[in-house]
Amino acid sequence: MILRMSSLFVRTLREDPADAEVPSHRLLVRAGYIRRAAPGIYTWLPLGLKVLRKIEGIIREEMDGIGAQELSFPALLPKEPYEATNRWTEYGDGIFRLKDRKGADYLLGPTHEEMFTLVVKDLYSSYKDLPLSIYQIQTKYRDEARPRAGLLRGREFVMKDSYSFDVDDAGLDASYQAHRDAYIRIFDRLGFEYVIVKATSGAMGGSKSEEFLAKAAVGEDTYVRCTKCDYAANVEAVQVAPPTPVAYDDAPAAHAEQTPDTPTIESLVDHLNDKFPREDRPWTAGDTLKNVLVMFKHPDGTREPVAIGLPGDREVDQKRLEGQMEPTEVEPFDEAEFKKHPSLVKGYIGPGVLGEKNATGIRYLVDPRIVEGTRWVTGADVDGSHVIDLVAGRDFTPDGTIEAAEVRDGDPCPNCDGGVLESARGIEMGHIFQLGRKYADALDLKVLDENGKLVTVTMGSYGVGPSRAVAAIAEGTLDEVGLCWPREVAPADVHLVAAGKDEHVLAAAERIAHELSSNGIDVLYDDRLGKISPGVKFKDAELIGVPTIVVVGKGLAADGTIEVKDRASGASEQVHADQVVDHVVRLVRA
Ligand code: ATP
Ligand code: MG
């Protein structure tokens, strides 16, 4: 195939688009791959579409390779199946809803568990039909709160979603493992650095769940890895190993003390060390129990105030909290709310008003480190006063625990002895999880087992984002001057530049383009005449980022050579015109 720059539907831009926050977004727009249509919604131009299709092709091959079969659902979906699983409500503002002319409700599919479950229910009825894996590569719609970074977080985006159907748990394990292996092959071929981490299963429900994250500083996800064992998890999914309860028989009785002007943890710790020094060591922020109020906004629109108790040396991590509570959202607890609860004394809130049979009726959830027998300094619910030696399990009982405290570098690994956690950022590229029977139960998907008994089918769900992958690969490979595609996903194999207007140059370039093409090589051929200087052509080639750049120019007349340049390393060699086609074919097929 030959794509001619003289007629290709592309305009490269020298200026960065004003709304682009990350380098991949800037360069994909400047190099003429995508155009913005609306916030989080993009048009694919020919070059961009080629990269997207290549990524989809890799995913398709690997899915077909594990025996999954491709089908395609509509994006415009009826409300009823999503009502049956409660997701019509749970998605809240997160989906696009619309009505037809008769007033019936529809949505644009954010993900298709319901539709897959129902189609299997329609067609299959026996264990003999299973296992089954089916998938689609299709456009999804989510009204994301913060569409961001171009294709990385779109409101319209492409997803490959597959689903497995098995008659028992062992079958589900095998289907999950097959998908996991296929994902490893996909991500190896896509050519970026990734990690597989434990994940929460979010709005989907279900149990075992892992994410494939591309390592990237611009990523919105934070994950941790253990320095000693193979533990790796999205911070949202980290479960702190709770300490063993401590004996408190000898603990002194809790005593309220005057601690004027100590509304912050720092001022409190200073005051304690000044007025109530410990004998063994100084007080630290970790000795205090701080209580943070938040508002849970449930999917049905109701709001619930919740207090979160955590060691004073840690902050509440909003993403972690939301990850635990999904689909519930978390909002700040504002002044108006404090007015409704006069017993909450800002800066001095303690388990007194929050603990068991509390006066406020506010649910009190604590960090898992606050186990029975641990001793705390915390608010006395009176302005300028704190309680010392307050013992968990003796002096207060929370309503439950929650993983909401920030995870920090150096925290102990929850999976091994002696390992510590270190964090990094990544972009979620794929997510696989064992849904179990949640959807089959809700939509009544059952088959007859070997004994003629009806059993509920168990399911897995496996997503990967080809459009996000375009941006993530660009982000991971670009340099100061432009994009830099790995060979497997590049929009062409070779960028051939005719540098100069000399007839010999043009004739040689034309011949090379045809010979490469007849060898099955995809050529992006810069055949532009007129005012386009060689310098402009070189700049465009660097910006567009095809992995091999071939320049037919001055060398041809001088000594019969042509320049072959590697876009990523910049390394270049002079190859004789007679050998250049063979040389490039070898490079591309290597
Ligand atoms: P995120 O946490 O980034 O919002 P998610 O957990 O909601 O993603 P899934 O429902 O697991 O995403 O979707 C499967 C895959 O679809 C993701 O791994 C990602 O590759 C892709 N994806 C999800 N949301 C978007 C989006 N807004 N834009 C582009 N790709 C997306
Ligand atoms: Mg996910």
Side-chain angles (χ1 to χ4, degrees):
M1 184 198 63
I2 305 175
L3 281 176
R4 288 172 185 273
M5 283 295 279
S6 59
S7 55
L8 181 65
F9 189 58
V10 66
R11 279 287 174 275
T12 56
L13 311 174
R14 294 288 163 248
E15 299 298 321
D16 284 334
D19 64 334
E21 305 148 64
V22 299
S24 60
H25 184 195
R26 278 199 287 278
L27 289 174
L28 286 166
V29 173
R30 278 188 46 205
Y33 284 68
I34 55 168
R35 296 293 296 171
R36 195 184 90 126
I41 304 180
Y42 290 87
T43 303
W44 295 91
L45 297 177
L47 286 176
L49 194 59
K50 282 193 189 302
V51 177
L52 178 67
R53 293 284 183 254
K54 287 211 169 164
I55 293 171
E56 291 174 356
I58 291 172
I59 295 170
R60 187 172 278 121
E61 275 175 32
E62 298 299 343
M63 293 316 299
D64 293 348
I66 57 167
Q69 300 173 58
E70 185 171 2
L71 45 64
S72 186
F73 282 99
L76 181 60
L77 301 171
K79 167 179 75 167
E80 288 69 25
Y82 287 79
E83 269 198 320
T85 58
N86 201 36
R87 291 212 291 184
W88 178 258
T89 305
E90 283 182 3
Y91 263 108
D93 293 334
I95 51 171
F96 290 97
R97 299 162 199 263
L98 55 168
K99 282 188 194 294
D100 72 4
R101 63 172 74 210
K102 297 193 180 112
D105 285 312
Y106 285 80
L107 71 157
L108 294 176
T111 175
H112 280 70
E113 279 75 6
E114 286 81 353
M115 302 309 290
F116 275 86
T117 309
L118 286 174
V119 83
V120 175
K121 180 181 167 178
D122 269 355
L123 298 177
Y124 276 6
S125 56
S126 162
Y127 75 97
K128 290 183 196 149
D129 299 323
L130 305 182
L132 170 73
S133 284
I134 43 183
Y135 76 97
Q136 62 174 345
I137 298 178
Q138 188 252 12
T139 307
K140 300 270 189 271
Y141 297 86
R142 294 183 184 174
D143 195 359
E144 298 274 0
R146 289 171 288 276
R148 191 185 157 263
L151 301 172
L152 283 179
R153 182 170 297 286
R155 296 199 296 166
E156 175 182 296
F157 60 96
V158 184
M159 195 200 289
K160 185 286 297 179
D161 47 334
S162 34
Y163 303 85
S164 62
F165 299 84
D166 282 276
V167 74
D168 55 23
D169 294 349
L172 172 57
D173 279 338
S175 297
Y176 182 90
Q177 191 58 41
H179 273 88
R180 192 179 193 274
D181 292 344
Y183 272 44
I184 290 173
R185 287 190 291 272
I186 290 168
F187 289 106
D188 285 347
R189 287 178 64 182
L190 289 180
F192 52 72
E193 276 198 274
Y194 66 94
V195 281
I196 305 175
V197 302
K198 276 191 205 312
T200 52
S201 31
M204 308 295 173
S207 52
K208 186 169 179 181
S209 164
E210 289 169 293
E211 283 167 353
F212 289 69
L213 303 181
K215 297 181 185 177
V218 302
E220 287 183 68
D221 284 272
T222 306
Y223 66 93
V224 291
R225 292 174 93 153
C226 176
T227 50
K228 198 171 142 195
C229 74
D230 60 4
Y231 179 82
N234 193 311
V235 282
E236 289 178 16
V238 170
Q239 293 201 307
V240 172
T244 38
V246 277
Y248 52 87
D249 303 340
D250 300 338
H255 43 109
E257 301 292 349
Q258 291 305 311
T259 55
D261 298 324
T262 56
T264 64
I265 297 294
E266 203 187 4
S267 56
L268 172 62
V269 170
D270 286 348
H271 186 89
L272 291 170
N273 282 322
D274 187 25
K275 296 286 182 340
F276 308 95
R278 287 175 69 121
E279 279 169 14
D280 51 347
R281 59 170 173 81
W283 293 102
T284 68
D287 298 318
T288 69
L289 166 60
K290 107 174 144 193
N291 298 294
V292 178
L293 283 139
V294 295
M295 284 302 261
F296 280 0
K297 185 184 159 207
H298 296 299
D300 61 5
T302 58
R303 285 181 160 73
E304 181 199 5
V306 172
I308 294 170
L310 69 169
D313 60 342
R314 288 182 197 257
E315 300 299 330
V316 169
D317 178 336
Q318 168 111 4
K319 272 197 90 179
R320 231 161 99 66
L321 178 54
E322 282 185 323
Q324 312 296 309
M325 296 312 303
E326 214 175 316
T328 290
E329 289 167 26
V330 180
E331 294 180 342
F333 191 87
D334 56 23
E335 281 306 323
E337 289 301 330
F338 273 105
K339 289 220 173 75
K340 285 187 209 157
H341 297 280
S343 56
L344 296 175
V345 184
K346 256 178 140 180
Y348 301 91
I349 300 167
V353 289
L354 299 170
E356 214 175 11
K357 299 195 192 74
N358 67 64
T360 57
I362 294 175
R363 193 143 62 108
Y364 183 40
L365 303 174
V366 298
D367 184 81
R369 294 172 187 85
I370 299 166
V371 291
E372 190 178 331
T374 49
R375 263 197 250 178
W376 304 94
V377 178
T378 188
D381 304 305
V382 175
D383 191 59
S385 176
H386 281 88
V387 186
I388 302 178
D389 292 321
L390 196 78
V391 175
R394 181 190 73 181
D395 302 323
F396 69 99
T397 312
D399 298 310
T401 59
I402 189 156
E403 292 279 359
E406 63 182 319
V407 175
R408 285 197 304 240
D409 282 17
D411 279 350
C413 172
N415 186 54
C416 73
D417 263 341
V420 294
L421 300 180
E422 59 184 22
S423 65
R425 293 186 77 82
I427 302 169
E428 182 193 316
M429 302 306 306
H431 193 172
I432 55 177
F433 42 100
Q434 301 197 349
L435 291 174
R437 297 183 176 80
K438 175 177 169 175
Y439 290 88
D441 268 334
L443 298 165
D444 201 29
L445 169 60
K446 292 190 166 79
V447 293
L448 290 171
D449 73 5
E450 280 166 279
N451 308 314
K453 220 179 78 203
L454 272 177
V455 292
T456 305
V457 169
T458 181
M459 295 169 55
S461 154
Y462 317 92
V464 58
S467 55
R468 179 176 283 182
V470 172
I473 296 170
E475 191 67 42
T477 50
L478 54 80
D479 61 19
E480 320 73 62
V481 290
L483 298 164
C484 231
W485 297 107
R487 214 170 262 302
E488 280 245 35
V489 303
D493 297 312
V494 176
H495 192 129
L496 175 66
V497 177
K501 296 176 187 117
D502 184 331
E503 259 175 44
H504 296 295
V505 165
L506 289 173
E510 198 66 42
R511 172 184 66 80
I512 292 166
H514 279 101
E515 285 182 23
L516 284 172
S517 173
S518 59
N519 275 283
I521 307 289
D522 290 341
V523 186
L524 178 57
Y525 173 29
D526 200 341
D527 60 341
R528 287 176 293 178
L529 297 168
K531 289 202 190 82
I532 313 286
S533 71
V536 168
K537 291 186 177 184
F538 298 149
K539 276 218 159 62
D540 277 348
E542 283 175 333
L543 182 60
I544 289 170
V546 170
T548 302
I549 302 172
V550 174
V551 183
V552 186
K554 290 201 187 87
L556 190 65
D559 55 4
T561 59
I562 284 167
E563 186 186 7
V564 179
K565 223 171 130 176
D566 184 72
R567 169 66 185 87
S569 68
S572 111
E573 46 190 332
Q574 302 295 326
V575 179
H576 198 274
D578 296 340
Q579 274 128 45
V580 78
V581 170
D582 284 349
H583 182 88
V584 170
V585 169
R586 268 199 306 278
L587 268 183
V588 172
R589 303 227 170 107

